[in-house]
Amino acid sequence: MDTTMTSEVNEWYRGRKVLVTGASGLMGKVLIEKLLYSVPDISCIYALIRHKRGKSPESRIEDMWKLPLFSRIRDEKPHVMKKLIPVSGDILYDNLGIEKKMLNELYNEVSVIFHFAASLRLEAPLKEGLEMNTKGTLRVLDVAKNIKNLDAFVHLSTAFCYPDYQRLAEKVHSPPVDPEEILRITNWMTDHQMDILTPSLYKKHPNSYTYSKRLAEALVKDSYPQLPAAVIRPSIVTPSYKDPIPGWVDNLNGPVGLMVGAGKGVIRSMHCYGHCHAEVIPVDIAINAIIVIAFKIGTMTERPPEIPVYNLTSGDDRDTTWKEILDIGRATVRKYPFEAPLWYPNGNLRGNKFIHNLCVFFYHIVPAYFIDFLMFIFRQKRFMVRIQNRITVGLEVLQYFTTREWWFDTHNYKALAPTLNHIDTRLFPLDLTIIEVGPYIESCIIGGKLYCLKEKLENLPKARLQNNILFIVDQLVTVFFYLLLISWMASYLGFVRDILAYGGPFVRYLPFVGKAVFNDE
């Protein structure tokens, strides 16, 4: 390797000022950490953050610095923290709610925009999704058009916003409706009217998230080539593979939430086709690609006729199925069990919707009402039914993505790595095929345990004891359930009773069953 070689990506970012919307989200935080750590010559990062729960953007930034995510910056490069500048604002307002002086500073100084802000609530009403994801993008574009020296506008979309295509190419397809017309309609329609109109608008779209993100892509395309824009479509974003720490995650969305819910014994059935391939991407790999894509857009000598689109997915290289993930995850949860589980973690995937619904009733709903009944008797706050209702809604939304195969072209994404020099290839790894599934899933579950649930690894012996006890209880309850079921069948079905009678003394002394079979003696 040439020792005189330098990072071309860092050289391009040298002295640049960057604006990040959605800075407090998972991908926003990982982007900020990676830029500050691996692109040390960047001038500054403006982080658009809104007031939340009485906390100012400045105090939210202070809280953010304390996260384990930023540990290597605190230890090795604490001086770069001053490069992060909080900007009070919100994409729900014109000019992003930014006060005039700061807005003029952004117009004059910023040269790169990463637009990450979005509502990730898949089950949100359409009006909410349009306001945040579609109109919010329009507001960010309006600000971008006033920036004097903009070199790259990176719009974060999703790989799942075209459910009507069997294979998604790296291009922006025509939207089902005019985005600006829909936004005008939402200005005067009531929530009730929108609810009535929603099914006819969705067509093949499963929820407001994919629909509103598709319309947002169309708005970005309409702004090209006036703006040096690119559309980025990651698949399901999962915890970090390596940077800055393996398994980093700060929320329970997506597969991590399912793993934690299953590990806690709360989720025991999911409607999913186990043979379908899992289309996921670690957050740090996605962020590496996004940083490199901005560099590529900014160094283009001539803009292509079509807006550049990158599907950040494993595409045709994937070979891991949902069943493999479940099997590895189940083994990992038994190795690193969660503390205070509700029940022994032994959930499963079920391809048959009817069987899944039966399991949900017996394994989710009935236990939830039983626990809340106990809470009521002991005059404690009831919570389990409410939690299970939320889980049921979440599972119903997710099962759309886990009961079908998704295929993506990844030519543009795969073309990125070969253009990087050795330094940038090491700083910004993009290859998904090098990830070992077993160790990665293990790091994801440990990450959920450490960073989301705040559980300590020192407490593993206690957690293992709890799980061992619950395993015995689970087996006893299972046997009890099937004995009751068989005894009920023997009581009402003569041929079942006749077959069981051949069991003689063994059946006679089975609890419930013996009495049902030999009730005439």
Side-chain angles (χ1 to χ4, degrees), residues 77-179:
K77 302 180 180 181
H79 61 281
V80 302
M81 292 182 179
K82 63 184 179 182
K83 293 186 177 184
L84 183 61
I85 301 173
V87 176
S88 178
D90 193 328
I91 65 169
L92 292 177
Y93 300 98
D94 292 337
N95 294 325
L96 308 184
I98 302 172
E99 58 96 15
K100 189 173 182 180
K101 182 180 178 182
M102 174 56 74
L103 195 61
N104 287 330
E105 183 176 333
L106 298 180
Y107 289 158
N108 294 319
E109 303 293 335
V110 166
S111 61
V112 181
I113 294 178
F114 294 100
H115 174 41
F116 286 8
S119 170
L120 301 181
R121 287 185 60 220
L122 303 185
E123 73 281 7
L126 177 57
K127 196 168 187 176
E128 178 183 323
L130 290 172
E131 183 65 27
M132 188 77 176
N133 299 337
T134 309
K135 195 167 185 177
T137 297
L138 184 61
R139 295 185 183 106
V140 177
L141 288 168
D142 289 340
V143 168
K145 289 171 184 176
N146 287 303
I147 291 178
K148 295 180 179 178
N149 300 300
L150 187 65
D151 289 322
F153 180 95
V154 177
H155 171 69
L156 186 66
S157 185
T158 172
F160 303 103
C161 61
Y162 291 86
D164 47 339
Y165 285 79
Q166 289 188 336
R167 187 179 184 94
L168 181 58
E170 289 178 299
K171 63 177 290 185
V172 177
H173 296 281
S174 298
V177 293
D178 182 351

Side-chain angles (χ1 to χ4, degrees), residues 116-242:
F116 286 8
S119 170
L120 301 181
R121 287 185 60 220
L122 303 185
E123 73 281 7
L126 177 57
K127 196 168 187 176
E128 178 183 323
L130 290 172
E131 183 65 27
M132 188 77 176
N133 299 337
T134 309
K135 195 167 185 177
T137 297
L138 184 61
R139 295 185 183 106
V140 177
L141 288 168
D142 289 340
V143 168
K145 289 171 184 176
N146 287 303
I147 291 178
K148 295 180 179 178
N149 300 300
L150 187 65
D151 289 322
F153 180 95
V154 177
H155 171 69
L156 186 66
S157 185
T158 172
F160 303 103
C161 61
Y162 291 86
D164 47 339
Y165 285 79
Q166 289 188 336
R167 187 179 184 94
L168 181 58
E170 289 178 299
K171 63 177 290 185
V172 177
H173 296 281
S174 298
V177 293
D178 182 351
E180 298 201 29
E181 185 64 32
I182 286 294
L183 293 178
R184 280 193 288 272
I185 290 174
T186 59
N187 283 335
W188 57 266
M189 271 197 171
T190 64
D191 292 343
H192 178 66
Q193 290 171 327
M194 281 299 298
D195 290 341
I196 296 174
L197 183 63
T198 293
S200 62
L201 291 175
Y202 277 174
K203 296 181 180 177
K204 290 190 176 182
H205 282 270
N207 52 59
S208 65
Y209 177 69
T210 64
Y211 185 81
S212 59
K213 294 295 275 186
R214 181 172 181 171
L215 297 185
E217 281 194 11
L219 293 174
V220 177
K221 178 185 178 182
D222 290 343
S223 299
Y224 182 88
Q226 178 186 352
L227 291 180
V231 172
I232 316 297
R233 296 184 186 135
S235 53
I236 299 173
V237 177
T238 50
S240 60
Y241 170 53
K242 282 190 176 178

Side-chain angles (χ1 to χ4, degrees), residues 24 48-52 55-57 60 87-90 132:
S24 60
L48 185 73
I49 300 180
R50 59 192 173 93
H51 288 262
K52 187 176 181 180
K55 286 193 172 185
S56 67
R60 293 183 68 190
V87 176
S88 178
D90 193 328
M132 188 77 176

Side-chain angles (χ1 to χ4, degrees), residues 116 409 411:
F116 286 8
D409 288 339
H411 308 299

Side-chain angles (χ1 to χ4, degrees), residues 491-508:
S491 298
Y492 293 96
L493 301 174
F495 74 93
V496 173
R497 187 164 55 249
D498 293 340
I499 292 172
L500 291 173
Y502 287 106
F506 174 75
V507 173
R508 184 185 300 276

Side-chain angles (χ1 to χ4, degrees), residues 5-14 16 38-39 291-292 295-296 299 416-425 427-428:
M5 186 179 293
T6 59
S7 167
E8 294 177 349
V9 173
N10 184 51
E11 285 301 310
W12 184 77
Y13 277 98
R14 182 186 295 275
R16 291 186 181 275
S38 299
V39 190
I291 292 172
V292 170
F295 157 68
K296 290 296 179 184
T299 54
L416 292 173
T419 65
L420 301 178
N421 65 23
H422 293 300
I423 299 296
D424 287 326
T425 299
L427 286 175
F428 307 100

Side-chain angles (χ1 to χ4, degrees), residues 469-520:
I469 293 172
L470 283 176
F471 172 74
I472 297 172
V473 174
D474 179 67
Q475 296 301 304
L476 291 174
V477 170
T478 301
V479 170
F480 178 80
F481 172 79
Y482 282 111
L483 287 175
L484 278 178
L485 180 63
I486 294 171
S487 67
W488 178 84
M489 294 173 66
S491 298
Y492 293 96
L493 301 174
F495 74 93
V496 173
R497 187 164 55 249
D498 293 340
I499 292 172
L500 291 173
Y502 287 106
F506 174 75
V507 173
R508 184 185 300 276
Y509 294 107
L510 281 178
F512 310 114
V513 178
K515 186 176 181 180
V517 174
F518 301 102
N519 59 353
D520 295 332

Side-chain angles (χ1 to χ4, degrees), residues 1-6 423:
M1 185 182 296
D2 186 356
T3 56
T4 63
M5 186 179 293
T6 59
I423 299 296

